[in-house]
Amino acid sequence: MVTLTPLEAELLAVAGSVPDPELPVLTLQELGVLRAVRVRDTAADTVEVELTPTYTGCPALEAMSLDIERVLHEHGVREVTVRTVLTPAWSTDDITDEGRRKLREFGIAPPRVRQAAGPVPVTLGPTRALGGAPDTDPVPCPLCGSADTELLSRFSSTACKALRRCLACREPFDHFKEL
């Protein structure tokens, strides 16, 4: 674990407060994409930020970088460099508990939490599509809490979300897919 200086912790909080451009209900810190903030000189006016996209080619990465630069400049940092870091890859496990709570309150089912740490086992089998086998782990409705939901589309407003419908309250909702 890397020890942060008090200034780095302060700047991490400032950069982490930036809202995600696609899910503005979440901050970059709650989404888990902000990896590090390091002061790079003794004058403390040159900062390097490490940012991991939710997936390679994420169109929001440029907006995130510009927003981080803007808030750090407003906070008095003269030079800001935002580096894209792909290792370790971002996972939905990186979303904080607060982020999951906010997603649910916003009407988006948060990704399910993996029970075990480490690699995700992959099982190859027939491709499931609409009308295919039901989910093995239910996705509870963020509106009424019912686990009786169905998949309408594997893709929703963004590639990282699926469109589902609750069979209890009949309301459609987004589900932030697990990665």
mmCIF file of all heavy atoms in Angstrom, residues 95-112:
data_model
loop_
_atom_site.group_PDB
_atom_site.id
_atom_site.type_symbol
_atom_site.label_atom_id
_atom_site.label_comp_id
_atom_site.label_asym_id
_atom_site.label_seq_id
_atom_site.Cartn_x
_atom_site.Cartn_y
_atom_site.Cartn_z
ATOM 1 N N ILE A 95 -16.152 -0.401 -7.666
ATOM 2 C CA ILE A 95 -17.186 0.566 -7.284
ATOM 3 C C ILE A 95 -17.362 0.495 -5.768
ATOM 4 O O ILE A 95 -17.517 -0.581 -5.201
ATOM 5 C CB ILE A 95 -18.522 0.282 -7.995
ATOM 6 C CG1 ILE A 95 -18.352 0.385 -9.516
ATOM 7 C CG2 ILE A 95 -19.608 1.249 -7.526
ATOM 8 C CD1 ILE A 95 -19.587 -0.017 -10.303
ATOM 9 N N THR A 96 -17.323 1.653 -5.121
ATOM 10 C CA THR A 96 -17.422 1.687 -3.665
ATOM 11 C C THR A 96 -18.847 1.358 -3.212
ATOM 12 O O THR A 96 -19.797 1.397 -4.003
ATOM 13 C CB THR A 96 -17.052 3.077 -3.124
ATOM 14 O OG1 THR A 96 -18.032 4.027 -3.581
ATOM 15 C CG2 THR A 96 -15.649 3.508 -3.558
ATOM 16 N N ASP A 97 -18.987 1.052 -1.927
ATOM 17 C CA ASP A 97 -20.321 0.806 -1.362
ATOM 18 C C ASP A 97 -21.209 2.036 -1.535
ATOM 19 O O ASP A 97 -22.399 1.917 -1.828
ATOM 20 C CB ASP A 97 -20.218 0.439 0.120
ATOM 21 C CG ASP A 97 -19.599 -0.938 0.338
ATOM 22 O OD1 ASP A 97 -19.598 -1.758 -0.610
ATOM 23 O OD2 ASP A 97 -19.123 -1.192 1.459
ATOM 24 N N GLU A 98 -20.621 3.219 -1.353
ATOM 25 C CA GLU A 98 -21.380 4.463 -1.547
ATOM 26 C C GLU A 98 -21.822 4.591 -3.006
ATOM 27 O O GLU A 98 -22.944 5.002 -3.290
ATOM 28 C CB GLU A 98 -20.524 5.672 -1.131
ATOM 29 C CG GLU A 98 -21.189 7.011 -1.335
ATOM 30 C CD GLU A 98 -22.375 7.273 -0.409
ATOM 31 O OE1 GLU A 98 -22.666 6.455 0.482
ATOM 32 O OE2 GLU A 98 -23.022 8.314 -0.596
ATOM 33 N N GLY A 99 -20.945 4.238 -3.932
ATOM 34 C CA GLY A 99 -21.304 4.275 -5.347
ATOM 35 C C GLY A 99 -22.448 3.323 -5.666
ATOM 36 O O GLY A 99 -23.367 3.648 -6.412
ATOM 37 N N ARG A 100 -22.411 2.134 -5.095
ATOM 38 C CA ARG A 100 -23.483 1.156 -5.300
ATOM 39 C C ARG A 100 -24.805 1.670 -4.734
ATOM 40 O O ARG A 100 -25.856 1.512 -5.329
ATOM 41 C CB ARG A 100 -23.108 -0.185 -4.657
ATOM 42 C CG ARG A 100 -21.985 -0.887 -5.372
ATOM 43 C CD ARG A 100 -21.462 -2.085 -4.571
ATOM 44 N NE ARG A 100 -20.300 -2.643 -5.211
ATOM 45 C CZ ARG A 100 -20.336 -3.472 -6.252
ATOM 46 N NH1 ARG A 100 -21.477 -3.877 -6.731
ATOM 47 N NH2 ARG A 100 -19.220 -3.910 -6.794
ATOM 48 N N ARG A 101 -24.725 2.312 -3.567
ATOM 49 C CA ARG A 101 -25.932 2.874 -2.965
ATOM 50 C C ARG A 101 -26.522 3.964 -3.862
ATOM 51 O O ARG A 101 -27.724 4.011 -4.108
ATOM 52 C CB ARG A 101 -25.611 3.449 -1.579
ATOM 53 C CG ARG A 101 -26.845 4.015 -0.853
ATOM 54 C CD ARG A 101 -26.469 4.817 0.384
ATOM 55 N NE ARG A 101 -25.715 6.019 0.096
ATOM 56 C CZ ARG A 101 -26.244 7.143 -0.403
ATOM 57 N NH1 ARG A 101 -27.519 7.216 -0.689
ATOM 58 N NH2 ARG A 101 -25.479 8.204 -0.619
ATOM 59 N N LYS A 102 -25.657 4.837 -4.380
ATOM 60 C CA LYS A 102 -26.116 5.918 -5.246
ATOM 61 C C LYS A 102 -26.722 5.385 -6.550
ATOM 62 O O LYS A 102 -27.720 5.916 -7.025
ATOM 63 C CB LYS A 102 -24.972 6.883 -5.555
ATOM 64 C CG LYS A 102 -24.612 7.781 -4.395
ATOM 65 C CD LYS A 102 -23.508 8.735 -4.810
ATOM 66 C CE LYS A 102 -23.194 9.738 -3.740
ATOM 67 N NZ LYS A 102 -22.144 10.686 -4.186
ATOM 68 N N LEU A 103 -26.116 4.355 -7.133
ATOM 69 C CA LEU A 103 -26.682 3.756 -8.338
ATOM 70 C C LEU A 103 -28.096 3.254 -8.065
ATOM 71 O O LEU A 103 -29.028 3.518 -8.833
ATOM 72 C CB LEU A 103 -25.819 2.596 -8.833
ATOM 73 C CG LEU A 103 -24.536 2.953 -9.566
ATOM 74 C CD1 LEU A 103 -23.696 1.701 -9.797
ATOM 75 C CD2 LEU A 103 -24.830 3.638 -10.885
ATOM 76 N N ARG A 104 -28.261 2.530 -6.967
ATOM 77 C CA ARG A 104 -29.570 1.976 -6.602
ATOM 78 C C ARG A 104 -30.591 3.098 -6.413
ATOM 79 O O ARG A 104 -31.713 3.033 -6.919
ATOM 80 C CB ARG A 104 -29.433 1.143 -5.325
ATOM 81 C CG ARG A 104 -30.561 0.206 -5.048
ATOM 82 C CD ARG A 104 -30.304 -0.683 -3.835
ATOM 83 N NE ARG A 104 -29.105 -1.518 -3.986
ATOM 84 C CZ ARG A 104 -27.930 -1.321 -3.375
ATOM 85 N NH1 ARG A 104 -27.777 -0.324 -2.536
ATOM 86 N NH2 ARG A 104 -26.908 -2.109 -3.591
ATOM 87 N N GLU A 105 -30.201 4.158 -5.702
ATOM 88 C CA GLU A 105 -31.115 5.283 -5.468
ATOM 89 C C GLU A 105 -31.462 6.011 -6.762
ATOM 90 O O GLU A 105 -32.534 6.583 -6.874
ATOM 91 C CB GLU A 105 -30.513 6.262 -4.462
ATOM 92 C CG GLU A 105 -30.551 5.750 -3.048
ATOM 93 C CD GLU A 105 -29.971 6.743 -2.051
ATOM 94 O OE1 GLU A 105 -29.530 7.844 -2.454
ATOM 95 O OE2 GLU A 105 -29.969 6.409 -0.860
ATOM 96 N N PHE A 106 -30.553 5.982 -7.723
ATOM 97 C CA PHE A 106 -30.767 6.636 -9.012
ATOM 98 C C PHE A 106 -31.619 5.769 -9.946
ATOM 99 O O PHE A 106 -32.013 6.193 -11.010
ATOM 100 C CB PHE A 106 -29.403 6.939 -9.651
ATOM 101 C CG PHE A 106 -29.450 7.862 -10.822
ATOM 102 C CD1 PHE A 106 -29.845 9.179 -10.681
ATOM 103 C CD2 PHE A 106 -29.076 7.423 -12.078
ATOM 104 C CE1 PHE A 106 -29.877 10.039 -11.764
ATOM 105 C CE2 PHE A 106 -29.097 8.265 -13.167
ATOM 106 C CZ PHE A 106 -29.500 9.582 -13.018
ATOM 107 N N GLY A 107 -31.881 4.532 -9.540
ATOM 108 C CA GLY A 107 -32.708 3.639 -10.341
ATOM 109 C C GLY A 107 -31.933 2.702 -11.234
ATOM 110 O O GLY A 107 -32.485 2.102 -12.142
ATOM 111 N N ILE A 108 -30.626 2.557 -10.976
ATOM 112 C CA ILE A 108 -29.778 1.639 -11.739
ATOM 113 C C ILE A 108 -29.374 0.507 -10.793
ATOM 114 O O ILE A 108 -28.849 0.757 -9.709
ATOM 115 C CB ILE A 108 -28.520 2.336 -12.283
ATOM 116 C CG1 ILE A 108 -28.911 3.456 -13.254
ATOM 117 C CG2 ILE A 108 -27.587 1.332 -12.956
ATOM 118 C CD1 ILE A 108 -27.744 4.315 -13.702
ATOM 119 N N ALA A 109 -29.636 -0.726 -11.207
ATOM 120 C CA ALA A 109 -29.224 -1.856 -10.381
ATOM 121 C C ALA A 109 -27.699 -1.928 -10.402
ATOM 122 O O ALA A 109 -27.098 -2.028 -11.464
ATOM 123 C CB ALA A 109 -29.821 -3.157 -10.910
ATOM 124 N N PRO A 110 -27.067 -1.874 -9.236
ATOM 125 C CA PRO A 110 -25.606 -1.955 -9.219
ATOM 126 C C PRO A 110 -25.141 -3.347 -9.615
ATOM 127 O O PRO A 110 -25.908 -4.311 -9.547
ATOM 128 C CB PRO A 110 -25.246 -1.644 -7.764
ATOM 129 C CG PRO A 110 -26.467 -1.938 -6.988
ATOM 130 C CD PRO A 110 -27.638 -1.750 -7.905
ATOM 131 N N PRO A 111 -23.885 -3.459 -10.028
ATOM 132 C CA PRO A 111 -23.367 -4.791 -10.364
ATOM 133 C C PRO A 111 -23.387 -5.679 -9.134
ATOM 134 O O PRO A 111 -23.223 -5.210 -8.004
ATOM 135 C CB PRO A 111 -21.943 -4.517 -10.840
ATOM 136 C CG PRO A 111 -21.594 -3.181 -10.289
ATOM 137 C CD PRO A 111 -22.865 -2.427 -10.138
ATOM 138 N N ARG A 112 -23.590 -6.960 -9.379
ATOM 139 C CA ARG A 112 -23.566 -7.912 -8.272
ATOM 140 C C ARG A 112 -22.138 -8.043 -7.757
ATOM 141 O O ARG A 112 -21.183 -7.929 -8.510
ATOM 142 C CB ARG A 112 -24.115 -9.254 -8.732
ATOM 143 C CG ARG A 112 -25.604 -9.169 -9.094
ATOM 144 C CD ARG A 112 -26.068 -10.375 -9.839
ATOM 145 N NE ARG A 112 -25.570 -10.278 -11.222
ATOM 146 C CZ ARG A 112 -26.129 -10.909 -12.244
ATOM 147 N NH1 ARG A 112 -27.168 -11.677 -12.064
ATOM 148 N NH2 ARG A 112 -25.649 -10.769 -13.455
#
